[in-house]
Amino acid sequence: MQLILLGLPGAGKGTQAKVLSESLGLLHISTGDMFREAAAAGTELGSRAQDHMSRGELVPDEVTIGMLLERIAQPDAGQGIMLDGFPRTIPQAEALDVALGERGTPIDAVLYIQVPESDLMTRLTGRWTCPQCGTIYHVQASPPKTAGVCDHDETQLTQRADDQPDTVKTRLDANREWTEQLASYYENASKLHDIDGTGDPAGITARLMAAIESVSAAG
Ligand code: AMP
C-alpha cells in the first residue's frame, strides 16, 4: 500500500507513522527526518534545508521533490510506503502522483489526522526528542523516566528549534493553509479519510487501522 499521513504539526503523524509502518510492513518516509539527518551530516542539501527549517518555513519544492523522488526510487520503497510530512504543496502532490503512477502503485489513501489547534500548541511546545534514537517525549503526556534524558540510551534530550513557542505559532499559521489545500486535493480524488486525532495514541492507531482496512478491503 501507498499511504499518506496528513495533519498539522503536532497532530501525531510521526508517532503514528512509526507504529503503523511497522505493523503494516511499509517503509516510513519522513521528509522532516531526512532534512534533519542531512543537516546533521552537513551535506549541501542539509544546509540549504536548515535555513528554511529554523525559520519554520517550507523547504523549496525543487529541493524537496528531488529528494523524495530519489528516496521512493530505492528498492526498499517497493514494499509500500507511508509518507509523513510529504506532500506539503500541490506541486509536491502532483509530482508524487506522476512518479507513483509511472510505477503502477498509486496512493491508496490519505489519512487526515484532525486535532483542535489549542491542543496542538500545548502538544508542540512540550515535545522533546532523543537526537540519538529519535524517541519523542512530552513533558506532560509521555515524560522520560529521568527529566531531560532518553530512557533507551541515556542521551540528553533536545528540543527541536522549530518546536520552540515563537516558531510554533509561525509554523501552525503557515501549515494551516497548505494542509487544507492538500485535503481538498485528495478529497477531489476520493482518497481522503478524516481521522479523529484526540485522545490516547492507541485509540488513534485503532481508528487509523480501521480506515486502512476499509480501503484495503474495498481495493
Ligand atoms: P517535520 O518534521 O515534518 O515537521 O518537518 C520539519 C521541517 O522540515 C518543516 O518545518 C520544513 O521546514 C521541512 N520540511 C519537511 N517536509 C517538507 C516538505 N514536504 N516540503 C517542504 N518542507 C518540508
Side-chain angles (χ1 to χ4, degrees), residues 11-30:
K13 294 190 302 293
T15 307
Q16 294 296 335
K18 275 202 181 101
V19 178
L20 289 171
S21 58
E22 263 174 40
S23 67
L24 295 166
L26 301 174
L27 178 70
H28 173 201
I29 302 177
S30 154

Side-chain angles (χ1 to χ4, degrees), residues 59-141:
V59 176
D61 276 347
E62 73 267 18
V63 178
T64 310
I65 292 172
M67 177 181 78
L68 189 278
L69 294 187
E70 226 171 82
R71 185 65 191 91
I72 64 172
Q74 302 296 312
D76 59 351
Q79 63 190 295
I81 54 177
M82 167 153 289
L83 293 171
D84 156 18
F86 185 98
R88 270 167 148 109
T89 66
I90 299 296
Q92 288 180 15
E94 289 170 346
L96 179 67
D97 277 346
V98 170
L100 292 180
E102 277 170 3
R103 66 175 215 190
T105 56
I107 290 295
D108 295 289
V110 179
L111 305 152
Y112 185 12
I113 309 180
Q114 309 241 23
V115 178
E117 277 196 38
S118 53
D119 293 6
L120 293 177
M121 237 6 234
T122 317
R123 285 191 191 184
L124 285 171
T125 52
R127 186 160 77 171
W128 290 77
T129 311
C130 174
Q132 187 66 35
C133 69
T135 302
I136 301 165
Y137 297 92
H138 192 279
V139 285
Q140 286 134 17

Side-chain angles (χ1 to χ4, degrees), residues 159-203:
Q159 187 171 40
R160 283 167 38 176
D162 54 2
D163 281 345
Q164 285 158 23
D166 45 351
T167 318
V168 165
K169 181 80 182 74
T170 318
R171 263 173 94 201
L172 281 178
D173 289 346
N175 279 273
R176 192 177 307 112
E177 196 180 332
W178 63 255
T179 303
E180 288 301 324
Q181 283 173 2
L182 282 169
S184 310
Y185 178 89
Y186 289 115
E187 173 96 74
N188 290 338
S190 306
K191 294 196 169 161
L192 193 73
H193 299 258
D194 286 337
I195 308 291
D196 174 6
T198 61
D200 70 298

Side-chain angles (χ1 to χ4, degrees), residues 49 51-59 167 170-171 174:
D51 291 342
H52 300 280
M53 290 169 80
S54 57
R55 289 196 295 266
E57 297 166 1
L58 292 184
V59 176
T167 318
T170 318
R171 263 173 94 201

